[in-house]
Amino acid sequence: MQIYDVPPHDRGWSLVLHGGAGGRVEELTLDVRGSYTAGLTRAYQAGEDVLAAGGSALDAVCATVEQLEDDPLFNAGRGAALTAAGTAELDACVMTGDGHAGAVTACRYARNPVYAARKVMEDSPAVLLVAPSEQRLLDWELATVPPEYFLTPARQQQLRNVQSRQLEASRHGTVGAVALDARGRLAAATSTGGMVNQNEGRVGDTPIIGAGTYARDGVVAISCTGEGEAFIKGVVAYDIAARMRYLDQPLATAITATVEEELTAHGAMGGLVAVGADGTVTVAHNSAAMFSAYHDGTRLVTHA
Ligand code: ASP
């Protein structure tokens, strides 16, 4: 497992994002890697702008994820991984450290699924909504698009390659962000198209509170990526938070133990980003690589 643990610095807030875990980043050509770096940087800056202006952790993680959803390189929003039927079924989730949460699954019409998840949290009694209708999204005054908007030639080619077994289903691209704001509030957001070639109706860990996404003020905020079924069965994000709360484990210790026991021990691959209540930022993965961006106190660090 690789883990990067960055102690809090004096900006008074923290932000870290991921763009999915998967195979070796070295496999990317320089051109493509540059585009990923640009996308990660743009997304980090969107969240940073919110936090630097005194905005909330929730606004920051939504602004960051919105950028990544709009970027066709990442497996979320436009350019999401496609189901076996060639459709895009999008999952997204937000949670704030004060215990509020919202999620959508099999979302087909919201241009930015992260904002649909936020509406579920803020404007509905539900926590998880399946396949929100276009009318519901319009009632919430969210931007809607036809389902074809999400399909890109690159993803259609990837699906053909996976189905003809020329390519192993690569999992790079799910996106997520976690933040601590200047008022000490934590938030997490995650968004994905799921796994390439997944059955229609399959739901991964992303919209499941405690599996792929979790936040609790005073403890930690976490966003995960990887083989969703293992994250659900290991309740990975919550397991890390529980280790911190009940065993008093430091963030990096808790993450290392959970990744080892709930993922690696079961042959499952993935990673996560986390921010502790003190502003410590952690990036961890047992996959060969994971796209991420964070600030190390002097400069923005991107892994692409
Ligand atoms: N965790 C996502 C899922 O299982 C996929 C990913 O992170 O790439 O749906």
Side-chain angles (χ1 to χ4, degrees):
M1 185 186 85
Q2 280 194 292
I3 183 160
Y4 305 89
D5 202 33
V6 183
H9 33 83
D10 55 14
R11 297 197 296 177
W13 47 265
S14 295
L15 173 71
V16 54
L17 66 87
H18 70 79
R24 260 177 213 296
V25 171
E26 287 76 27
E27 288 163 11
L28 298 176
T29 64
L30 279 181
D31 271 8
V32 175
R33 185 181 296 185
S35 308
Y36 277 103
T37 302
L40 295 169
T41 303
R42 208 166 32 241
Y44 187 90
Q45 279 166 352
E48 180 175 53
D49 287 350
V50 172
L51 293 165
S56 71
L58 176 62
D59 285 344
V61 294
C62 288
T64 294
V65 168
E66 176 188 356
Q67 291 291 326
L68 295 165
E69 287 179 340
D70 287 346
D71 189 330
L73 286 178
F74 295 93
N75 173 14
R78 181 152 180 277
L82 303 179
T83 68
T87 55
E89 292 191 343
L90 307 174
D91 299 339
C93 185
V94 296
M95 185 166 188
T96 51
D98 58 359
H100 294 97
V104 289
T105 181
C107 190
R108 289 169 186 268
Y109 301 101
R111 177 190 161 117
N112 291 105
V114 70
Y115 288 120
R118 182 167 176 169
K119 282 291 184 186
V120 173
M121 177 174 84
E122 293 178 336
D123 290 341
S124 93
V127 170
L128 175 59
L129 196 65
V130 178
S133 68
E134 190 171 16
Q135 190 54 53
R136 167 77 71 118
L137 299 165
L138 290 169
D139 290 347
W140 278 335
E141 295 178 359
L142 292 177
T144 60
V145 289
E148 301 73 47
Y149 162 82
F150 298 106
L151 312 181
T152 62
R155 289 293 181 187
Q156 288 168 325
Q157 186 60 48
Q158 180 190 42
L159 180 64
R160 281 194 291 274
N161 291 347
V162 169
Q163 289 181 334
S164 63
R165 296 182 204 280
Q166 286 166 32
L167 185 74
E168 215 182 293
S170 125
R171 278 173 277 273
H172 266 310
T174 287
V175 308
V178 292
L180 171 76
D181 65 29
R183 288 172 51 190
R185 296 171 297 191
L186 290 166
T190 316
S191 182
T192 190
M195 312 271 250
V196 184
N197 199 33
Q198 68 181 17
N199 288 326
E200 281 186 295
R202 178 260 179 192
V203 178
D205 59 313
T206 298
I208 309 297
I209 299 298
T213 310
Y214 191 70
R216 181 176 283 259
D217 285 344
V219 185
V220 69
I222 298 173
S223 171
C224 302
T225 171
E227 293 172 28
E229 283 69 13
F231 283 80
I232 294 172
K233 289 184 277 189
V235 204
V236 165
Y238 186 76
D239 192 64
I240 293 165
R243 285 176 179 281
M244 297 175 72
R245 277 179 80 198
Y246 305 134
L247 298 178
D248 225 7
Q249 291 186 343
L251 179 55
T253 309
I255 290 174
T256 303
T258 298
V259 169
E260 174 52 43
E261 290 178 27
E262 305 302 335
L263 299 178
T264 310
H266 301 282
M269 184 281 299
L272 57 96
V273 293
V275 58
D278 66 352
T280 298
V281 152
T282 306
V283 174
H285 54 95
N286 71 356
S287 50
M290 185 168 95
F291 294 133
S292 63
Y294 55 91
H295 203 283
D296 72 359
T298 49
R299 68 184 182 93
L300 176 66
V301 180
T302 56
H303 293 274

